[in-house]
Amino acid sequence: MFEPLYRAGAFAAYQITLAVGIALMPLALFARRLGVTVPLGDLVAAAVRAYDRTGR
């Protein structure tokens, strides 16, 4: 019963993190020029791992 809900939630979180990552990319590139790293890749990777665990 909860498996489809978990899968849908993980997929939604994955899509949202991708959209946020794309939207914040200019800010991340600007921050990199200033010498500050933004862990957007880590956030997206965590969402991918959670989604992959659902077994699609």
Side-chain angles (χ1 to χ4, degrees), residues 2-55:
F2 291 110
E3 179 70 25
L5 286 174
Y6 179 77
R7 186 178 302 138
F11 180 72
Y14 173 66
Q15 292 296 319
I16 289 169
T17 55
L18 283 179
V20 169
I22 290 169
L24 292 178
M25 184 61 71
L27 178 64
L29 293 173
F30 180 71
R32 183 184 285 179
R33 284 184 178 229
L34 296 176
V36 179
T37 58
V38 180
L40 289 176
D42 296 338
L43 181 65
V44 172
V48 169
R49 282 192 306 273
Y51 182 65
D52 284 343
R53 275 186 267 142
T54 63

